[in-house]
Amino acid sequence: MSIKSNLLEIKQTLPENVTLVAVSKTKPVSDLLEAYEAGQRIFGENKIQEMAEKFEEMPEDIEWHMIGHVQTNKVKFMASFVSLVHGVDSLKLLEEINKQALKNNRIIDCLLQIHIAEEDTKFGLDEAELNDLLNSETFKNLNNIKIKGLMGMATFTENQDQIKKEFLHLKSIFDKISVVNSDFTTLSMGMSGDYQLAIDCGSTMVRIGSSIFGTR
Ligand SMILES: *Cc1c(COP(=O)(O)O)cnc(C)c1O
């Protein structure tokens, strides 16, 4: 199977309201170009350095999404071009993104990462921390970032019921905020192994790597 045929096959199964982020981390630029030639314009990377290098080499009409955990001291390397930062999980990080966005005279779109998995290792806020952040004075004064929604990763398990429960939990938090905040339009959940289930649970953005580019 080629990257192109994988991509087209996945796209056919996605509802119109669901955006596909092609997760190209660790893959060479030649693979990304193959996806680009097949029409893909949104790419997701999990390391800022790697994303910045690929940004330099790839065509300009690409949306670059940072899907990995972001270190505060690296924000400056992506602030001029990143389209959406998925994994924001602290006010401190948001403040830094805001600062670097301001320096670049931009508004940077972000998603807040919510911890829905059972594993301790996955980053993210719980619902109370999310509400504290959104209601804080500091947050309200950040004019160069916009929170467009939420992102989450389910537990790495074969248990579909568990994954579904976690996705529905995230969707319920998302729904509560989106009724009062019209900026909240994006719910980023679902990867190669679970994106169909994620879409059934209300995902509007799926992050798919290995099903497009092959195993890493
Ligand atoms: C790697 C990664 C993905 C894609 O995973 P696949 O299983 O290869 O589709 C999605 N989201 C995040 C946050 C990732 O790090």
Side-chain angles (χ1 to χ4, degrees):
M1 290 289 274
S2 69
I3 290 170
K4 179 177 178 179
S5 59
N6 291 340
L7 190 59
L8 296 183
E9 198 169 295
I10 290 167
K11 274 190 171 169
Q12 274 185 351
T13 70
L14 298 182
E16 243 173 68
N17 69 319
V18 175
T19 303
L20 171 63
V21 179
V23 176
S24 48
K25 62 191 187 193
T26 77
K27 297 296 178 182
V29 163
S30 56
D31 283 5
L32 279 70
L33 278 173
E34 211 175 315
Y36 181 88
E37 296 299 335
Q40 184 63 24
R41 291 295 180 272
I42 305 178
F43 290 85
E45 291 283 334
N46 72 337
K47 295 210 168 73
I48 291 174
Q49 194 72 44
E50 184 177 340
M51 182 171 75
E53 285 167 14
K54 287 172 172 170
F55 163 74
E56 293 293 336
E57 290 184 52
M58 292 284 292
E60 280 179 8
D61 62 338
I62 289 176
E63 271 188 37
W64 292 97
H65 289 203
M66 174 42 56
I67 62 167
H69 188 68
V70 176
Q71 285 172 278
T72 315
N73 61 354
K74 301 224 170 108
V75 172
K76 56 179 175 287
F77 301 121
M78 65 173 175
S80 66
F81 70 90
V82 71
S83 292
L84 184 65
V85 184
H86 288 234
V88 179
D89 65 356
S90 75
L91 191 53
K92 184 170 147 263
L93 177 56
L94 264 185
E95 288 182 85
E96 176 63 16
I97 296 172
N98 187 74
K99 180 175 147 193
Q100 298 299 335
L102 181 60
K103 274 193 192 167
N104 286 276
N105 204 11
R106 318 179 50 206
I107 292 173
I108 296 182
D109 290 342
C110 299
L111 303 176
L112 293 171
Q113 184 169 357
I114 306 300
H115 182 95
I116 53 170
E118 269 187 351
E119 296 129 32
D120 298 336
T121 50
K122 287 183 179 148
F123 298 99
L125 306 161
D126 64 26
E127 190 173 4
E129 290 167 335
L130 170 69
N131 287 322
D132 285 350
L133 189 157
L134 293 175
N135 292 321
S136 70
E137 280 309 309
T138 309
F139 172 70
K140 286 173 190 162
N141 291 319
L142 301 179
N143 297 316
N144 289 75
I145 52 109
K146 186 173 269 180
I147 306 293
K148 303 287 282 185
L150 303 177
M151 178 269 213
M153 287 168 84
T155 303
F156 189 71
T157 171
E158 293 290 310
N159 184 342
Q160 298 296 301
D161 289 339
Q162 162 123 20
I163 298 172
K164 186 174 177 186
K165 193 183 81 188
E166 293 171 1
F167 282 154
L168 289 175
H169 178 218
L170 181 55
K171 166 73 167 149
S172 77
I173 299 172
F174 177 78
D175 284 345
K176 280 185 227 170
I177 300 171
S178 60
V179 291
V180 291
N181 183 337
S182 60
D183 289 338
F184 262 64
T185 53
T186 302
L187 180 54
S188 167
M189 61 182 194
M191 323 194 338
S192 291
D194 57 19
Y195 73 89
Q196 269 132 348
L197 183 53
I199 291 168
D200 291 342
C201 294
S203 171
T204 71
M205 186 174 276
V206 290
R207 310 174 309 269
I208 301 180
S210 46
S211 292
I212 298 172
F213 295 104
T215 51
R216 288 178 296 274

